[in-house]
């Protein structure tokens, strides 16, 4: 489990396809005490550490991960948001993030309005019902507040600190991003589904 509070921006050093582990990524980072088997959210996708050393780790992305994310497009030099798994007793500063990417969405507009960077994202139809104004959403591993929602258009308002400490400041119209809806909304939707269908 994660919180969506990115603690480091790492860099993909190598991305290689292998027959036993899908796509293996070597990530340069500031971590010096990782352990094999540990979970790390990489742009919001929960990956398992295969090998590691001072300032680097490798992780594999299997076919299901590649099918639900844009990990297959990462190349040497790609910057990625990193977060280590939450430990018992840590501050819960963001929201509950599973590291399970629900969809790859597309940025449609980026503009600066005074001290805020407004980013518009076109959501897949199935995710739109899970978004509520001022609710939580994870974009490329970053816990954010929904600024506005209009049909399939999600608007995010990014503060200067987040722009400096994540990759969100690099986003431009046309870029693909990982989106994970709030897990609470997913469970509510699932629990209400039989009753919604019964009334139709």
């Amino acid at each position: 489990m994660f919180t969506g509070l990115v603690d480091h921006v790492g860099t993909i050093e190598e991305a290689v396809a292998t027959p036993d582990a899908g796509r293996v990524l070597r990530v340069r980072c500031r971590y010096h005490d990782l352990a094999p088997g540990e979970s790390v959210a990489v742009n919001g996708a929960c990956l398992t550490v295969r090998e590691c050393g001072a300032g680097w780790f490798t992780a594999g992305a299997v076919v299901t991960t590649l099918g639900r994310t844009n990990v297959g497009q990462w190349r040497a030099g790609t910057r990625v948001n990193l977060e280590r798994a939450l430990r018992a007793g840590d501050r819960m500063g963001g929201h509950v993030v599973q590291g399970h990417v629900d969809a790859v969405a597309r940025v449609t507009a980026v503009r600066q309005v005074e001290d805020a960077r407004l980013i518009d994202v076109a959501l897949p139809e199935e995710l739109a019902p899970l978004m509520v104004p001022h609710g939580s959403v994870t974009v490329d591993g970053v816990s954010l507040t929904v600024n506005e929602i209009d049909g399939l258009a999600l608007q995010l308002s990014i503060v200067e600190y987040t722009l400096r400490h994540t990759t969100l400041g690099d986003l431009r119209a046309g870029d693909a991003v990982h989106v994970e809806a709030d897990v609470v909304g997913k469970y509510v939707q699932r629990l209400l589904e039989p009753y919604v269908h019964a009334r139709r």
Side-chain angles (χ1 to χ4, degrees):
M1 188 178 95
F2 306 92
T3 68
L5 297 185
V6 171
D7 55 31
H8 182 55
V9 175
T11 303
I12 303 296
E13 288 192 321
E14 188 178 48
V16 180
T18 68
D20 63 331
R23 191 169 182 80
V24 175
L25 309 167
R26 180 181 169 99
V27 184
R28 175 63 58 184
C29 62
R30 67 173 175 82
Y31 306 139
H32 291 265
D33 58 344
L34 290 174
E38 184 173 339
S39 295
V40 178
V42 184
N43 263 21
C46 179
L47 300 179
T48 301
V49 174
R50 288 165 55 89
E51 298 175 318
C52 53
W56 65 273
F57 69 92
T58 64
V62 295
V63 63
T64 50
T65 301
L66 295 174
R68 296 171 184 168
T69 68
N70 60 11
V71 172
Q73 300 172 17
W74 295 351
R75 301 291 183 268
T78 299
R79 299 172 70 239
V80 288
N81 296 318
L82 301 177
E83 182 190 355
R84 297 178 70 174
L86 185 68
R87 295 177 298 187
D90 282 353
R91 288 188 177 90
M92 188 70 183
H95 72 282
V96 175
V97 175
Q98 295 181 295
H100 301 162
V101 175
D102 290 311
V104 175
R106 193 69 59 179
V107 174
T108 57
V110 178
R111 59 196 183 280
Q112 192 72 28
V113 178
E114 297 181 355
D115 60 345
R117 182 79 54 86
L118 299 183
I119 299 176
D120 295 341
V121 178
L123 292 173
E125 188 173 354
E126 65 272 16
L127 285 191
L130 296 171
M131 303 294 159
V132 294
H134 309 142
S136 296
V137 63
T138 309
V139 176
D140 275 353
V142 184
S143 173
L144 298 170
T145 299
V146 175
N147 193 46
E148 291 182 7
I149 181 78
D150 182 10
L152 300 180
L154 173 71
Q155 185 188 85
L156 307 167
S157 180
I158 315 297
V159 299
E160 183 268 345
Y161 183 91
T162 303
L163 293 175
R164 285 191 293 110
H165 290 86
T166 71
T167 64
L168 298 187
D170 300 334
L171 290 179
R172 299 293 181 268
D175 287 347
V177 292
H178 293 159
V179 177
E180 179 185 330
D182 189 351
V183 66
V184 176
K186 295 178 193 177
Y187 278 111
V188 170
Q189 183 185 62
R190 182 70 169 172
L191 289 169
L192 291 178
E193 206 169 54
Y195 304 100
V196 173
H197 289 303
R199 296 181 61 181
R200 289 178 179 170

